Amino acid sequence: MHLTLVVPELIWPEPDEQDTFADLACPGLCTLLARSRRQQLPAQSVEATLAEFFGLPVQPPYAALRLAGENPAPAAAAGAWLCADPVHLRLHQERLLLAEGDRLELALDEAQALLDELNRHFAEVGRFHPACAERWYLQLAADHQPGGGDALPLSAVAGRRVARQLPETPDLRWLRRLLNEAQMVLHRHPVNEAREAAGRPTINSLWLWGAGMLPPRLGSEFTGVWSDDALARGLARCAQAAVHAPPVDAASLLRALEQHGRHLLVLDALQRPVHYQDAEAYRSRLRELDRDWFAPLQQALAGGRLATIELCAPTAYGLLTWRSGRAEQWRLWRRPCALQATALALAKGAE
């Protein structure tokens, strides 16, 4: 069995931050990393990383692919789609900070009321659909097909400063106009007025990204994909790979895996803590990942239950990949080092 493990934001992006790294014990992860071959490539989003596993080029149609992974999909995935995710933008030191939908405690009835108004206003452009309270889509009308530009995926900007929401390119002029009008519709909506009166963050913008049509069947080396991420599930379904919910721990996964095959597992528990600079949550969740996943998987690899592990981590240091087989895990002279030492070495390599 071969396992590819995707863990976005695996290593805290501030290598000198003593409070975050102090006494942060993760022996399973550190052993696995020390006895693996590392590759450090330029930074890219987790969405781009997943798309590459399925042979997709630059600017994949993330919206249509993510829609295919929803349970259930809000509509038939025909035509061109955009992710139109609800966000909150606030001005901080002359720059905009973005908070994504799942940080806003947005109720489904609030989302539906906002979307009903957007659909009344933009009937000629297309139709908005909610997959859940925090993930929205826009199905574009036939005469509003996407051009050649696109915005960054939401994961690349969540919790961070953004200079602008859409690139200043001519082919996105219509989309910038749509965004500006959508912001005005959202600003005056009773849902936002009530949220503001209650001291809650408003949904004052959309993040429009991932335009395109669902591609024909994708190729993939994976026999199974284990994830609750909608994009990962959609990619797997388009490649006709088996889709599974992620198990609670490595022991459950190993019991469920077939004796042979290649499997993709996505664990995104560290993504939100890093995006929103919550060091305590990062430390807590990394310890849990080490206990439930990294340590038992390292032991399974050393014991021969797994043939190879590829650990792939989109981070601020770049796209990091560690690859290892059983024999490498028995190179006992390659002693684990503290995670902060790894972060410092990565930061130096990314300069």
Side-chain angles (χ1 to χ4, degrees), residues 161-180:
R161 294 183 296 177
V162 292
R164 62 177 63 90
Q165 289 178 262
L166 290 169
E168 295 290 338
T169 55
D171 53 353
L172 286 180
R173 188 175 294 116
W174 70 273
L175 196 53
R176 289 194 298 274
R177 184 167 57 249
L178 184 152
L179 178 60
N180 291 335

Side-chain angles (χ1 to χ4, degrees), residues 11 13 21 26 28 83 99 119 130 145 157 164 166 168 207 210 212 218 228 231 260 264-265 270 292 310 328 339:
I11 300 179
F21 286 108
C26 41
C83 293
N119 279 326
Q145 296 305 296
V157 293
R164 62 177 63 90
L166 290 169
E168 295 290 338
W207 193 257
L218 303 178
D228 55 13
L231 176 61
H260 303 287
L264 173 66
L265 171 66
L270 302 175
D292 297 337
E310 180 181 52
E328 288 160 301
L339 196 62

